[in-house]
Amino acid sequence: MENANLDPKKAADPRPQTDRRLWTDFLLNYSLYIILGLMIVVVIIINPAFLSLTNFTKILTQASTRGILALGLAGMIVLAGTDLSAGRILGCCAAVTASLVQSVTYTSRMYPNIESDLPVLVPLALSIAIAVAFCLLNGFGVAKLHLHAFIITLGTQLIAFGALCIYIDSQKGGAQALSSFNPTFLNVVNGGFKIGGFTLPFLIIYFLIAAACMWVIWNKTALGKNMFAIGGNMEAAAVSGVNVTRNIMGVYLIAGVLYGCAAFLEAGRVQSVNTGMGLNYELDAISGCVIGGVSFSGGVGTIPGVVIGVIILQTINFCLSYLSVNPYLQYIIKGLIIILAVSIDVRKYLSKK
Amino acid sequence: MGVNADSDIVLEMIDIEKQFPGVKALDRVRLTLRKGTVHSLMGENGAGKSTLMKCLFGVYSEDSGEIRMEGRPVRFENPRRALDNGIAMVHQELNQVLRRSVMENVWLGRFPKKYGFISHKKMYDDTKRVFEELEIKIDPRVIIGSLSVSQRQMVEIAKAVSYNAKILVLDEPTSSLTNEEVRHLFNIIGKLRARGVGIIYISHKINEILQISDEVTIMRDGQRVAAKKASELTTDEIIRLMVGRDLTRQFPPNTNTPGETLLEVKNITGKYKPTCENVSFSLRKGEILGVAGLVGSRRTELLENIFGVAARESGEIYLHGRKVENRNSEESIKNGFALLTEERRATGIFPLQSVQFNTILANLRAYVNKGLLSDKSMRGDTTRIIETLGVKTPGQRTHIRYLSGGNQQKVILGRWLLTEPEVLLLDEPTRGIDVGAKYEIYQLIIQLTSRGKGIVMVSSEMPELIGICDRVLVMSGGKLAGILDLRNNKHENAQEEIMRLAAKYV
């Protein structure tokens, strides 16, 4: 080709690269990690006893189920949508899980006919199946009926909540929390690997496995690429041969699988499921995603970002209660930190324009 | 006009320098704009035209140099401040609030108020007044999204006028206009010129530049290579100055030889009006079929119907004599079709994604190995496209939005080449890209035909249609108005004939 006289660098990012600029770039690119680090440092200064392995395991354990939920929900946000139903779907599936893992020795169990423990895979499979059904309903609304995700998932949220209440209420003894689970189930969820004096909870491992699987899906599969294409420019994706409907359904399907797993685990973690289960979980998951840099305008986000975002959010929760901050004040601080974190993260894209 | 009198000078940009990492984007560039004149700014993409304008509007701040407006040094912090001081710009890509009315778009950010509330009546009257002055026949109350691109452009110009701008910058204003509309635009420019407005006119269309300009500044590689009176310039000289080499021809020689029939399209009619009606044509291997027509002649709809991204009411498509359905893009790609869309930004690029992502997207199926995508083959194919098409990019990971229009277009063309199509449907493939890049795109198209591909190319540029097409299909009001065989019959007045056909069903 001719035109060799044109410097290829001309197409480069047209930003002046002074030292100050490099610093701000650095701060912007690693803002999440810096915020996380600062928070931990502040808490340690206030109370040095915070610095313990147990506390960090606790944070990660608490983050695990919501983290898995967030990993599913992040796909919806990358598609330029959202999911308001995630929390209640989780509640619904957790209730089904709980009803099937009650100890056979517990007299007021929901299904007295079950006389020996079911294999744990049964409630897990059922939980996943129900979550997938709800998610496919959402996906159908978005991909086929062309509803905004906000609307269809708002509807599903109510449906799932109604179903949850009816299910809990259908117990012979009336509406009571589902509890008293069998030890096999509890061990699968709450057990851990003993390494010397330290126990690594299975929950953290499940979370990491889910994150690893999702990283592969997002980065190494056609579905992942198509998801970013649809979220980034739906029309261009449609013209480029991306089957928009099928790929949207795929993303929702995977979210369903993750929701189902999260519900199964959350039932065991909380050890009691009532109608309040899952309330506002979607908001925590969405906050985690946006803190982690998943853009609400679609087409932008990473799995490590989601993981870090969820952990930051949980760290805030944990630190605030650790320092015994007034619970009402906690809400205000959390709100401010979310706004701060996201407004810093948004700079990355603003400054490049 | 009293040239050289300093009071005539409305804008002076003196020795503007701007350094970007690794490249000097502007190297002591000067520009002098006089009242009531049209000063054209030319240069290939990447020559520094936009950077210069961005310095003027305060999007970038220059490293050194001075900007003087009516003799006073000025420095605007942002485009809004520039506008308040009488410098307006009409961008090539229109930024309008599509679902609001024309008048709301004109007065956005400065709605006329009465007792603290917006006065729609005043807004309407003021808009009407500006439109009448410029002889624009558009109802200020209609939703702007329902207008054609050219009408929207007129609105944008009227908006600039409503600011009483002393300086008006027009960036590629005619890229989507028909000849008739271009005349209207020039008419408006004439009126503004008579009012003493200084106009900076950025365009790649040399004929128009020579027709409308008083002075011409030509840039190359961040430097001003010439500033002359338009009357002293010729097309050849402008091209030579812009590309820094002799481009003896605007078009590469057509070395292609059409072979057997490849594609037959019979009675295609779209489902949702307005659309194309009853269009039939055939395409041979190695043939370039141009599609001409006025804006609104439904050329784009024809391509979209063939490619299956618009719903078809009736009609049949035969490839190699075998009937194909092309119900959606996925199926069409499998059948060997490709569609390069007209609006690069809206339906072509994924701006927040890398060059690699943008290159491989339509061909993902080819990279899947045991369910996972192979990085190696994606990288390999992208490298091949970058090299063969001469895409200028710092790397595969660079976001495509940092590339110039011509390079973005090459990436998208590359995206389609990877799917190894037999029929390429190209919708305005050279829109908004510079002379040098255009020439390269023509070369690519001709190379493709030599490999037996069939090309259907929609274009609004007459010289381009006549320059590289074997035949030209002319559409008018959604219908097929006629097909000109340029290869076998030398049409002396091809241009007039196309225009005549284009007006057949209007």
Side-chain angles (χ1 to χ4, degrees):
Chain A
M1 289 282 149
E2 281 183 87
N3 267 5
N5 58 335
L6 283 182
D7 190 332
K9 286 191 185 108
K10 201 153 289 172
D13 185 359
R15 282 178 299 167
Q17 206 80 17
T18 59
D19 285 352
R20 210 181 113 242
R21 197 76 205 201
L22 283 174
W23 265 106
T24 46
D25 273 5
F26 175 80
L27 287 177
L28 281 178
N29 288 333
Y30 296 96
S31 57
L32 291 176
Y33 304 88
I34 295 167
I35 291 172
L36 183 58
L38 280 179
M39 265 174 3
I40 293 170
V41 169
V42 168
V43 179
I44 291 172
I45 292 170
I46 299 176
N47 188 345
F50 178 76
L51 193 60
S52 76
L53 199 54
T54 335
N55 280 338
F56 286 105
T57 353
K58 266 189 202 157
I59 293 177
L60 289 177
T61 313
Q62 288 170 359
S64 61
T65 46
R66 275 165 228 222
I68 296 174
L69 200 67
L71 287 169
L73 210 156
M76 258 100 272
I77 305 180
V78 171
L79 287 174
T82 185
D83 187 355
L84 299 179
S85 61
R88 289 309 189 178
I89 292 177
L90 178 138
C92 212
C93 299
V96 172
T97 303
S99 66
L100 294 174
V101 297
Q102 286 179 305
S103 295
V104 286
T105 53
Y106 181 51
T107 43
S108 40
R109 60 187 189 273
M110 189 160 178
Y111 297 109
N113 299 338
I114 300 180
E115 281 168 0
S116 61
D117 290 351
L118 292 169
V120 288
L121 282 179
V122 175
L124 177 62
L126 214 56
S127 175
I128 290 177
I130 295 169
V132 164
F134 275 119
C135 284
L136 289 182
L137 173 65
N138 285 336
F140 180 79
V142 171
K144 274 286 176 194
L145 303 180
H146 299 288
L147 298 175
H148 191 283
F150 190 98
I151 305 298
I152 175 78
T153 62
L154 181 66
T156 314
Q157 181 196 57
L158 296 175
I159 295 170
F161 180 54
L164 166 67
C165 292
I166 289 171
Y167 191 71
I168 299 247
D169 200 38
S170 71
Q171 296 176 83
K172 238 182 260 132
Q176 53 176 332
L178 292 158
S179 57
S180 298
F181 302 151
N182 71 55
T184 327
F185 170 69
L186 288 177
N187 185 51
V188 165
V189 177
N190 296 326
F193 285 118
K194 287 209 167 32
I195 309 165
F198 167 71
T199 309
L200 177 63
F202 289 148
L203 276 172
I204 298 181
I205 297 170
Y206 297 145
F207 180 32
L208 293 179
I209 292 174
C213 292
M214 287 309 285
W215 186 87
V216 171
I217 291 174
W218 278 29
N219 295 288
K220 297 287 165 198
T221 67
L223 177 66
K225 294 274 180 209
N226 289 339
M227 172 180 81
F228 280 99
I230 294 168
N233 189 344
M234 169 125 61
E235 291 203 40
V239 173
S240 302
V242 173
N243 185 325
V244 174
T245 309
R246 198 196 308 145
N247 281 286
I248 290 181
M249 292 304 271
V251 174
Y252 275 87
L253 179 105
I254 289 168
V257 174
L258 288 164
Y259 292 177
C261 295
F264 175 86
L265 297 172
E266 184 67 359
R269 194 181 73 85
V270 183
Q271 302 195 15
S272 162
V273 177
N274 60 22
T275 52
M277 186 66 162
L279 175 66
N280 288 348
Y281 276 32
E282 68 279 352
L283 297 185
D284 278 351
I286 293 171
S287 315
C289 290
V290 295
I291 290 176
V294 185
S295 163
F296 247 63
S297 43
V300 175
T302 64
I303 290 294
V306 175
V307 172
I308 298 288
V310 169
I311 292 175
I312 288 186
L313 198 66
Q314 199 53 50
T315 310
I316 299 170
N317 281 334
F318 189 88
C319 292
L320 292 176
S321 14
Y322 190 81
L323 298 176
S324 315
V325 175
N326 174 327
Y328 303 132
L329 191 56
Q330 287 191 19
Y331 281 111
I332 296 177
I333 297 175
K334 262 158 65 175
L336 290 174
I337 292 180
I338 290 173
I339 295 171
L340 175 76
V342 177
S343 45
I344 292 175
D345 193 57
V346 164
R347 300 292 114 189
K348 270 196 259 187
Y349 302 100
L350 292 184
S351 61
K352 281 182 182 171
K353 275 216 164 164
Chain B
M1 216 163 294
V3 190
N4 294 334
D6 276 2
S7 61
D8 270 353
I9 295 174
V10 62
L11 176 76
E12 260 184 306
M13 299 183 82
I14 305 162
D15 293 342
I16 307 292
E17 294 208 26
K18 181 76 190 171
Q19 179 83 36
F20 287 137
V23 58
K24 191 144 209 173
L26 293 176
D27 189 1
R28 279 171 289 122
V29 175
R30 284 170 164 264
L31 181 86
T32 308
L33 176 67
R34 294 169 208 285
K35 270 183 198 159
T37 65
V38 175
H39 192 127
S40 289
L41 193 54
M42 302 193 73
E44 294 193 289
N45 289 342
K49 294 169 307 198
S50 343
T51 313
L52 187 67
M53 288 303 110
K54 281 179 177 166
C55 288
L56 175 60
F57 282 88
V59 178
Y60 295 150
S61 57
E62 60 275 15
D63 298 339
S64 68
E66 197 180 32
I67 301 175
R68 286 191 202 158
M69 200 175 152
E70 295 177 322
R72 284 176 301 112
V74 289
R75 177 164 230 173
F76 304 117
E77 294 135 44
N78 54 52
R80 175 77 218 183
R81 296 281 303 141
L83 197 53
D84 290 341
N85 285 281
I87 308 185
M89 176 153 178
V90 177
H91 293 269
Q92 182 183 4
E93 314 251 3
L94 302 170
N95 288 309
Q96 291 169 328
V97 190
L98 290 181
R99 298 199 177 172
R100 304 303 301 175
S101 69
V102 167
M103 59 185 190
E104 277 176 79
N105 272 282
V106 171
W107 300 99
L108 193 64
R110 47 178 186 143
F111 291 130
K113 292 207 182 99
K114 204 173 176 183
Y115 312 122
F117 293 100
I118 290 170
S119 164
H120 285 87
K121 187 176 176 312
K122 183 163 167 35
M123 190 152 60
Y124 176 80
D125 293 341
D126 289 353
T127 316
K128 196 82 194 153
R129 187 174 44 74
V130 178
F131 280 8
E132 271 163 15
E133 267 176 62
L134 300 177
E135 292 172 21
I136 296 173
K137 293 180 196 73
I138 295 172
D139 182 352
R141 286 167 303 196
V142 301
I143 301 300
I144 203 158
S146 67
L147 300 179
S148 68
V149 177
S150 61
Q151 286 176 309
R152 286 169 50 203
Q153 202 148 29
M154 297 295 172
V155 172
E156 210 56 22
I157 292 169
K159 179 178 179 177
V161 171
S162 74
Y163 275 94
N164 288 320
K166 293 176 194 141
I167 299 167
L168 179 62
V169 182
L170 300 173
D171 186 6
E172 290 277 350
T174 60
S175 58
S176 51
L177 303 193
T178 59
N179 288 350
E180 186 53 41
E181 290 161 338
V182 170
R183 263 196 291 282
H184 187 192
L185 175 71
F186 283 4
N187 218 336
I188 292 175
I189 291 178
K191 284 182 202 291
L192 297 175
R193 182 165 20 191
R195 277 194 193 182
V197 178
I199 295 167
I200 297 176
Y201 189 95
I202 303 173
S203 176
H204 293 305
K205 296 190 181 170
I206 298 167
N207 294 343
E208 288 176 4
I209 296 250
L210 290 175
Q211 188 188 337
I212 190 92
S213 321
D214 298 294
E215 286 165 281
V216 180
T217 288
I218 296 169
M219 295 181 67
R220 189 196 332 140
D221 297 339
Q223 291 179 323
R224 187 184 78 169
V225 291
K228 292 190 178 181
K229 286 216 174 78
S231 51
E232 292 166 9
L233 283 164
T234 62
T235 305
D236 288 347
E237 194 175 359
I238 289 177
I239 293 176
R240 190 180 54 75
L241 286 165
M242 274 202 297
V243 298
R245 66 191 139 92
D246 280 313
L247 201 60
T248 45
R249 312 173 54 136
Q250 249 177 304
F251 303 100
N254 306 34
T255 48
N256 60 319
T257 41
E260 67 200 70
T261 301
L262 175 64
L263 172 75
E264 272 178 288
V265 172
K266 290 183 183 165
N267 304 320
I268 289 274
T269 301
K271 193 165 185 181
Y272 302 108
K273 293 207 160 65
T275 181
C276 56
E277 291 167 48
N278 230 358
V279 179
S280 306
F281 66 89
S282 67
L283 177 73
R284 301 204 281 166
K285 274 185 148 187
E287 185 183 37
I288 305 173
L289 175 70
V291 180
L294 303 172
V295 169
S297 60
R298 309 299 153 196
R299 295 168 295 174
T300 298
E301 283 79 358
L302 174 64
L303 297 194
E304 285 177 349
N305 266 296
I306 296 172
F307 195 65
V309 288
R312 200 156 53 230
E313 173 76 39
S314 60
E316 283 139 37
I317 303 166
Y318 295 89
L319 188 72
H320 294 300
R322 193 171 52 83
K323 191 171 176 191
V324 292
E325 290 298 336
N326 286 4
R327 274 171 296 227
N328 53 52
S329 59
E330 205 185 1
E331 201 181 305
S332 307
I333 292 170
K334 269 189 208 146
N335 288 336
F337 287 76
L339 172 65
L340 185 80
T341 55
E342 178 181 12
E343 299 211 22
R344 196 163 46 235
R345 210 168 61 161
T347 55
I349 64 167
F350 300 95
L352 291 173
Q353 297 292 343
S354 66
V355 168
Q356 188 192 82
F357 183 100
N358 274 281
T359 309
I360 51 104
L361 191 78
N363 197 33
L364 283 180
R365 207 171 285 111
Y367 309 114
V368 179
N369 182 14
K370 298 191 190 98
L372 298 185
L373 294 166
S374 155
D375 273 331
K376 199 167 151 243
S377 43
M378 291 194 292
R379 211 170 32 238
D381 269 7
T382 309
T383 308
R384 197 154 55 82
I385 289 297
I386 290 176
E387 281 169 6
T388 50
L389 271 58
V391 180
K392 291 180 198 83
T393 171
Q396 298 195 5
R397 301 236 156 264
T398 309
H399 282 189
I400 194 168
R401 63 195 162 131
Y402 295 129
L403 269 54
S404 68
N407 282 309
Q408 291 181 355
Q409 192 72 317
K410 286 184 197 166
V411 170
I412 300 176
L413 196 56
R415 180 193 294 168
W416 288 117
L417 297 187
L418 286 178
T419 67
E420 307 202 337
E422 293 190 76
V423 178
L424 284 102
L425 309 167
L426 311 177
D427 199 352
E428 303 281 5
T430 65
R431 164 172 295 177
I433 62 183
D434 61 71
V435 181
K438 267 184 184 172
Y439 192 87
E440 289 176 37
I441 300 263
Y442 298 141
Q443 274 180 323
L444 284 167
I445 291 174
I446 290 170
Q447 271 170 30
L448 288 170
T449 55
S450 66
R451 284 160 46 194
K453 317 254 184 221
I455 312 269
V456 180
M457 182 175 92
V458 167
S459 172
S460 294
E461 292 188 32
M462 206 64 87
E464 173 174 296
L465 286 167
I466 296 168
I468 72 164
C469 294
D470 298 303
R471 288 185 303 150
V472 176
L473 181 158
V474 187
M475 292 201 46
S476 177
K479 298 188 188 71
L480 174 66
I483 297 179
L484 265 69
D485 191 338
L486 301 178
R487 174 171 282 270
N488 298 319
N489 310 323
K490 283 288 161 225
H491 289 264
E492 292 297 319
N493 303 314
Q495 190 155 344
E496 284 75 29
E497 217 158 321
I498 291 173
M499 283 317 299
R500 190 178 49 74
L501 287 170
K504 196 167 169 185
Y505 300 117
V506 175

